């Protein structure tokens, strides 16, 4: 499948009573997507199964958010994160994602699971959109992607330290 980061700037919406669900293997390849996922993203099931989850990555998203996500879930913990995703046609939709590891009987991580709901609009507009814009700008100021991501990650850490809160508390209270 051709990957493109073509974007329209147009926002798509899903219902307050809907949950976008997907599951992945350990490497982040999609193993399950529900109908709400397929409908909002504009893909068929056949187009998403087996694909890396960055299929729906939006180019506006700062890389450091995904670093935080992967560091957290691969350590066995869960995370809540605001994410801007790209639809197949280039539109975008915002979600509040809850991503969790799935464990086998021996407590080994066997995959990951994400449920996403409609995000709080005020939290998005007042906090998340400006924050992600700053983080992205910081990342883009570096020639090396990884250096940029690490610098933006340090910015998030400093922001949380300045507020005296952990990431989870920050997300839960905006
Ligand atoms: C269960 C699960 C759900 C994910 N959901 C999304 C998602 O909705 N959008 C997204 O861009 N990345 C999602 N990711 C993260 C992607 O795997 C990937 O790290 C991200 O798109 C950044 O891609 P890149 O590393 O190629 O820049 C998810 C990962 C997991 C394990």
């Amino acid at each position: 499948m051709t990957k493109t980061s073509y974007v329209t700037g147009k926002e798509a919406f899903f219902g307050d009573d809907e949950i976008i669900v997907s599951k992945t293997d350990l490497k982040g390849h999609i193993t399950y997507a529900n109908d709400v996922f397929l409908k909002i993203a504009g893909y068929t099931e056949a187009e998403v199964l087996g694909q890396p989850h960055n299929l729906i990555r939006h180019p506006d998203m700062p890389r450091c958010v995904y670093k935080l996500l992967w560091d957290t879930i691969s350590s066995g913990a869960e995370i809540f994160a605001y994410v801007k995703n790209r639809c197949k046609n280039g539109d975008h939709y915002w979600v509040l994602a809850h991503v969790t590891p799935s464990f086998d009987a021996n407590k080994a991580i066997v995959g990951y699971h994400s449920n996403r709901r409609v995000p709080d609009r005020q939290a998005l507009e007042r906090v998340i959109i400006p924050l992600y814009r700053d983080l992205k700008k910081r990342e883009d100021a570096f020639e090396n992607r990884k250096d940029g991501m690490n610098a933006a990650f340090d910015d998030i850490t400093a922001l949380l330290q300045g507020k005296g809160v952990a990431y989870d508390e920050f997300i839960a209270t905006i």
Side-chain angles (χ1 to χ4, degrees):
M1 186 177 306
T2 328
K3 247 188 15 187
T4 163
S5 52
Y6 165 75
V7 292
T8 61
K10 196 171 145 229
E11 185 163 3
F13 297 92
F14 60 106
D16 285 335
D17 57 345
E18 291 187 305
I19 302 181
I20 298 174
V21 184
S22 63
K23 295 187 199 179
T24 73
D25 62 14
L26 289 174
K27 294 200 159 156
H29 290 93
I30 299 171
T31 55
Y32 171 80
N34 74 346
D35 287 344
V36 185
F37 181 113
L38 299 173
K39 187 179 66 177
I40 183 87
Y43 287 100
T44 63
E45 187 179 48
E47 284 175 317
V48 304
L49 291 183
Q51 294 300 317
H53 218 308
N54 68 6
L55 177 72
I56 57 164
R57 186 199 199 296
H58 195 286
D60 285 355
M61 279 291 292
R63 289 180 184 282
C64 60
V65 174
Y66 302 116
K67 171 177 163 50
L68 182 63
L69 183 149
W70 276 103
D71 284 357
T72 307
I73 61 176
S74 62
S75 79
E78 60 176 5
I79 189 168
F80 286 90
Y82 288 85
V83 181
K84 181 179 186 177
N85 278 327
R86 192 177 64 85
C87 311
K88 187 179 178 184
N89 70 359
D91 293 352
H92 65 267
Y93 58 99
W94 278 98
V95 299
L96 176 57
H98 180 213
V99 192
T100 56
S102 306
F103 300 94
D104 69 10
N106 298 317
K107 300 202 168 141
I109 301 176
V110 291
Y112 301 102
H113 188 144
S114 179
N115 287 320
R116 309 163 185 88
R117 292 183 174 277
V118 172
D120 180 79
R121 196 40 55 178
Q122 287 206 346
L124 259 192
E125 284 178 5
R126 281 199 202 146
V127 181
I128 297 296
I129 292 175
L131 173 64
Y132 282 11
R133 197 177 293 137
D134 288 349
L135 293 170
K136 181 74 170 63
K137 210 191 248 175
R138 180 93 159 121
E139 291 182 349
D140 289 348
F142 286 77
E143 231 164 74
N144 178 284
R145 271 191 194 170
K146 204 167 175 195
D147 291 344
M149 181 178 75
N150 288 331
F153 193 84
D154 289 347
D155 287 353
I156 302 184
T157 309
L159 172 90
L160 296 174
Q161 271 172 1
K163 290 183 182 295
V165 293
Y167 172 80
D168 289 351
E169 199 181 341
F170 170 67
I171 292 295
T173 55
I174 50 175

